[in-house]
Amino acid sequence: GSTPSSTPAEPLRRRRTLRRVLIGLAACFVVLGLVLVGAAWYLQDHLVGQVDRVDDAFAGLETRPAPAQGEGLNILLMGTDRRSDEPTTGDDAKAPTWLPGEQRTDSLMVLHIDSDRQHATLVSIPRDSWVTVPGHGENKINAAFSFAGPSLAVETVEELTDLRIDHLAIIDWDGFEALTDELGGVTIDVPRTVRDSARGK
């Protein structure tokens, strides 16, 4: 006589095991996807969402240099000398970033980020550089921002450097102070009391 074999049950067990593995993998991918979506939302809401946009930064710019090669980026960094009683940049900003004739760019730098996102180059443009400011003739480069705000500053730098500016960042003293505090701050030891007669402090 023949002995009953368990062979027919083995493929069924293997199919069930395979199904459980596939379901487990699918669940892992779903969880991973939810984590990635959550992380993207967090970055957008808590980091990018806190950045104030300068909507008209590139308004009216018609003749512009060619874009950087590959996926390289050029970012114009500007530090203004706006003497406002209320911050113009940073978390506590209440005053406009730019008002005609109210501020110049004391710091002016072009940051180039390579396509590989592994290398960057930073070039500072002296604020007193005597250049052609479109529509305003020869003048110091830091006057462009004062004349017509971010868009004229971008146009002036592009004509000077023949580099296409892709993004820009603007900060005043209050914003710089807030940024420094976020990075841990800097301890300054002043050996004696000083006063600012212009501000009565």
Side-chain angles (χ1 to χ4, degrees), residues 80-183:
T80 73
D81 64 355
R82 174 75 182 277
R83 293 173 176 82
S84 172
D85 291 331
E86 295 182 324
T88 65
T89 62
D91 292 338
D92 299 323
K94 294 183 177 67
T97 302
W98 172 78
L99 288 175
E102 290 293 322
Q103 66 282 296
R104 295 190 174 203
T105 46
D106 275 354
S107 298
L108 201 62
M109 293 177 277
V110 177
L111 172 64
H112 174 78
I113 302 176
D114 289 351
S115 299
D116 60 10
R117 299 297 188 265
Q118 300 296 315
H119 304 87
T121 305
L122 186 65
V123 177
S124 177
I125 303 174
R127 65 177 187 174
D128 292 332
S129 299
W130 199 255
V131 302
T132 299
V133 178
H136 297 271
E138 300 296 312
N139 214 307
K140 291 181 180 180
I141 195 169
N142 67 348
F145 188 85
S146 179
F147 288 143
S151 60
L152 184 58
V154 169
E155 186 177 7
T156 302
V157 170
E158 286 189 339
E159 289 200 4
L160 174 68
T161 63
D162 198 32
L163 295 173
R164 186 185 183 93
I165 301 300
D166 301 294
H167 302 282
L168 62 83
I170 306 169
I171 197 167
D172 66 355
W173 175 254
D174 292 290
F176 182 75
E177 186 178 20
L179 178 61
T180 303
D181 289 341
E182 288 292 330
L183 296 175

Side-chain angles (χ1 to χ4, degrees), residues 36-113:
L36 291 175
V37 170
W41 174 85
Y42 177 85
L43 291 174
Q44 175 67 30
D45 185 65
H46 293 274
L47 297 180
V48 179
Q50 295 181 20
V51 177
D52 293 329
R53 303 288 179 176
V54 182
D55 295 328
D56 58 351
F58 300 95
L61 303 183
E62 299 177 356
T63 304
R64 307 187 63 195
Q69 292 184 351
E71 297 182 0
L73 293 175
N74 294 316
I75 304 173
L76 180 60
L77 309 176
M78 297 185 287
T80 73
D81 64 355
R82 174 75 182 277
R83 293 173 176 82
S84 172
D85 291 331
E86 295 182 324
T88 65
T89 62
D91 292 338
D92 299 323
K94 294 183 177 67
T97 302
W98 172 78
L99 288 175
E102 290 293 322
Q103 66 282 296
R104 295 190 174 203
T105 46
D106 275 354
S107 298
L108 201 62
M109 293 177 277
V110 177
L111 172 64
H112 174 78
I113 302 176

